[in-house]
Amino acid sequence: MRRRWPHWLRKVQNVRNKSSFPTAAQPIGIFDSGVGGLSVLREIRRELPHENLLYVADSGHAPYGDKSAKLIEARAIAIVEFLIGQHAKAIVVACNTATGVAVQTLRARFSLPIVAMEPAVKPAAAYTQSGVIGVLATSRTIASDNIARLRERFGADVKILLQACPGLVEQVEAGDLSGAQTRVLIERYVLPLLEQQADALVLGCTHYPFLAPLIREIAGPAVAIIDPAAAIARELRRRLTSAAMLSHATTAGAEQFWSSAAPDTTRSVIAQLWQPGIDVLHLPHAPAA
Ligand code: DGL
């Protein structure tokens, strides 16, 4: 029996078959397990005001933290294929968990520039006076090779405390950035790090920058809270510049949003975290595994 590919996948295949090189005018594709990657989108918008940005929130599968590596990888591939179908010239994996699990596969499979997350251990190690830094991330990121590598590289000079933070992604997905339950969770994760003299906290999950005001309130003004998003946006600019793919536009770029959850649910939280009045489209069904 002849297999019928979904419409969006046929579009991807057409793009691939044409083997056309992306051009500077094409948009940048960004994705996360949910709305956390908006903290990266924010920095990309600041760094690259003229680029058109496509954002996919895989909120129908969030949190990735408790999903299998196989599922996360399959989701990452399906989303990148979708974004290529939308003519993305470059991809930003705005998710530490997906980076840890899938970035090597994505880079082996797709030839366009792929920029991914890296917990900001280096700047935290450069900053600390106490010699102790804390990394807040999902359980899966804490257990990843990325963190093991960073520990090997910087662990001799500073003490790196790793703190998994189950539940925080869900709080941000629900738009609860400062409620009692969110505060309880942050106190549970942050206070033990402060007791061990950590004076720099690395936000190792892209959802957490939205909790930074509450983390700041709990940690106090002397503790540095370090988010790698601005560095990721600069890296994206470098990659586009060296590939001669930086947009030549002089007018403000636009954003377009998709979600794999019910768009109405995601719309309200994206409106809260990004800006009111935005439209969110439903991500066409894509194979999950
Ligand atoms: N924003 C994702 C990250 O940076 C959250 C992952 C999850 O959904 O567990 O890791």
Side-chain angles (χ1 to χ4, degrees):
M1 199 177 83
R2 202 161 158 258
R3 195 159 169 197
R4 270 189 69 74
W5 296 101
H7 171 70
W8 65 269
L9 190 53
R10 283 204 301 272
K11 215 163 150 193
V12 170
Q13 286 165 338
N14 288 343
V15 169
R16 275 189 180 162
N17 293 344
K18 268 192 249 157
S19 67
S20 54
F21 289 108
T23 67
Q26 288 174 221
I28 298 163
I30 299 149
F31 77 95
D32 176 43
S33 64
V35 295
L38 295 173
S39 66
V40 182
L41 188 74
R42 184 168 64 186
E43 296 302 330
I44 294 173
R45 175 48 75 225
R46 227 172 254 159
E47 182 72 27
L48 300 168
H50 306 305
E51 298 285 347
N52 289 323
L53 306 176
L54 314 176
Y55 184 88
V56 171
D58 199 11
S59 296
H61 299 88
Y64 277 176
D66 60 14
K67 305 293 182 303
S68 70
K70 193 170 165 230
L71 181 112
I72 298 169
E73 190 178 276
R75 293 301 306 155
I77 292 169
I79 292 168
V80 172
E81 288 187 337
F82 170 76
L83 288 167
I84 292 173
Q86 299 296 321
H87 310 294
K89 63 183 172 185
I91 298 291
V92 178
V93 185
C95 175
N96 290 267
T97 308
T99 296
V101 171
V103 75
Q104 283 174 352
T105 306
L106 295 179
R107 288 194 171 127
R109 196 168 172 132
F110 302 104
S111 57
L112 74 179
I114 297 180
V115 174
M117 301 306 296
E118 162 135 339
V121 170
K122 188 178 175 185
Y127 169 89
T128 182
Q129 297 290 309
S130 66
V132 184
I133 68 171
V135 178
L136 304 168
T138 64
S139 313
R140 202 168 255 293
T141 295
I142 295 289
S144 70
D145 292 347
N146 269 359
I147 288 285
R149 260 195 307 276
L150 288 167
R151 244 184 154 178
E152 235 165 67
R153 196 165 151 209
F154 299 102
D157 303 325
V158 292
K159 187 168 175 190
I160 305 175
L161 307 173
L162 302 176
Q163 179 63 60
C165 306
L168 286 187
V169 168
E170 289 88 331
Q171 294 305 107
V172 177
E173 286 293 309
D176 183 350
L177 309 182
S178 57
Q181 177 62 18
T182 307
R183 178 179 284 273
V184 166
L185 288 173
I186 293 179
E187 284 176 351
R188 183 182 304 159
Y189 300 137
V190 168
L191 293 179
L193 303 179
L194 303 180
E195 276 156 24
Q196 294 172 77
Q197 311 305 323
D199 63 355
L201 299 177
V202 174
L203 304 182
C205 168
T206 56
H207 282 72
Y208 301 170
F210 293 112
L211 301 172
L214 191 52
I215 297 174
R216 160 73 55 230
E217 205 186 305
I218 289 164
V223 171
I225 296 170
I226 304 179
D227 172 12
I232 299 297
R234 288 193 298 273
E235 170 65 9
L236 175 63
R237 170 188 277 282
R238 273 192 294 273
R239 294 287 301 277
L240 291 176
T241 305
S242 70
M245 278 202 291
L246 210 53
S247 170
H248 306 302
T250 50
T251 50
E255 300 90 29
Q256 217 176 330
F257 299 92
W258 286 266
S259 169
S260 58
D264 281 347
T265 318
T266 316
R267 186 177 298 116
S268 62
V269 68
I270 296 186
Q272 178 190 350
L273 301 179
W274 185 254
Q275 66 182 46
I278 46 109
D279 196 18
V280 178
L281 302 173
H282 193 244
L283 188 71
H285 176 73

